Each structure stands twice: as C-alpha cells, then as structure tokens.
Amino acid sequence: MVFVHGTRFSAGQWSTQLIALRDEFPVTAIDLPGHGERADQPWSLSAAAESIASAVDSLGRGPALVVGHSLGGYASLEFARRCPERLRGLVLAGASASTRGPWAAPYRAVARVVPHIPEARLTQWNDRFLRRRYPRSVVEATIRSGYAFHTLPAAWGEVLGRFDAGAMRQVKAPVLILNGEKDPVFRAGEADFARAHPDARIELIPRARHLANFDAPEAFTDAVRRFARELPAVN
C-alpha cells in the first residue's frame, strides 16, 4: 500500500494507518513534491505521479493499492492514468468532487490569499485546530512534519479545472470511494465518480468530516484493510 497525503500535509498524516496495517501489508507513505522532506522540490502533477510510482517500486511487490486523500487523491488519479500497470487498487478519500466549474472558485480564492498570510500564523492556526479537535496520537506526526503552505497555490492551481468523473474511466483497477459522511463538498460528485467506473463502490464513514482518517482512524483503516483483502490476486 502507498498512502498519499492531502493539501499542506505530509506523509505524517498516515502515521496511525501505517502502524495499524504494517503487520499485514507492505506499506509506505510519501511526501509529495513541495511537502514534508521534499519541501524544496517544485510541485507538478507529473512529479507527484512519479513520486507515487517510485514508492510503489520501492515496496518491490508489484502493483500496489494506492490510498490518496484530497490533493493526494487527485494526484493518485493522475498516477492511475500514467502508470496503470503499477496500480492494483485505488482508494479515493475526500477526492470525489469535480474540480471544474463554479465549485472551484472559492478554492482559487484561497490559493490566491494564502501567500499573503505569514507562514507562522498559518502554522499556529493549523496546530491549534488539529490539537483541539483530535488526539495527539493521531495528529502529532502531522504537526511535527510541518505544513506546505508555499506549495498550495501551485498544487491547487494545477488540480483545479483538471478533474471530473471522467477521470475514473482511465483507472484500470478497482476503486473504493471512501468519504466522511459529513464532508459534503469533497463527496459532492461521488455518485458520478462511481458511475463512471465499472468496478467502483462508495463507502461512507459515519460522522466523519473531510479529514476522515483523523476523525475516525479505526473505521478508516478498517475500510482500507477490507478493500485490500478483496482485491484480486496478482499473477
């Protein structure tokens, strides 16, 4: 399994899932370009897809199940398009909304505003938000790894306007669309995404929001585990 983090975060987002799954599966989590330990590398979807491919190859076990959240979900769709032979299954978490049309306008505005807010203040806000809402055991690795605010404009600038349900037609592996029940924005297109793929299903995590793997880490991990066990064997 390869886990791909969401906007501004890093591989630390998946610390709970890695601990829970590593005894059964070969697992890893990556830093996308411009994030975490790769903060000095320029962002591009092409480089993001290459990062996922390298992580799959590093496990040395053939095609992998890729789990992508939010920005990482859209990057995983790009990887699925470019490297179908390396993909055994795909979990789209908080990434089943079209990034085209009027829906994208507020996110374009955020991407424009973020560079004008001091990074120290953004870090303080994010640390406070995570520590108030979630147990330290769930979010401390994310906080310790820092945030990639400087990459947000480039990342969302490339993703916005690029993806809709049609991207699912290029995925040549089974798909689990895994969303928080209370994430109305990023699950807005889940039915369209599911209909666009012959082997996709939707699963909702009760009471969870956009950061479903933080809101309900055990339920999120269990959904990924069950999906992985259901995937057909690779010859």
Side-chain angles (χ1 to χ4, degrees), residues 122-132 143 147:
L122 291 169
T123 297
Q124 183 182 46
W125 289 345
N126 276 261
D127 286 353
R128 185 181 301 149
F129 166 77
L130 292 175
R131 286 186 171 129
R132 284 181 175 178
I143 293 170
Y147 310 101

Side-chain angles (χ1 to χ4, degrees), residues 14 43 45 79 85 106 109 119 149 151 169 202 211-212 216 219 230:
W14 302 110
W43 164 270
L45 266 176
F79 163 75
E85 74 286 352
E119 187 167 329
F149 301 115
T151 301
R169 300 189 185 98
I202 299 167
L211 295 173
E230 294 166 2

Side-chain angles (χ1 to χ4, degrees), residues 5 53 61 68 100 126 133 192 203 205 207 209 213:
H5 62 80
R61 300 290 291 271
R100 295 177 173 172
N126 276 261
R133 179 162 286 186
D192 293 333
E203 183 168 342
I205 299 178
R207 298 176 296 280
R209 297 168 290 258
N213 75 301

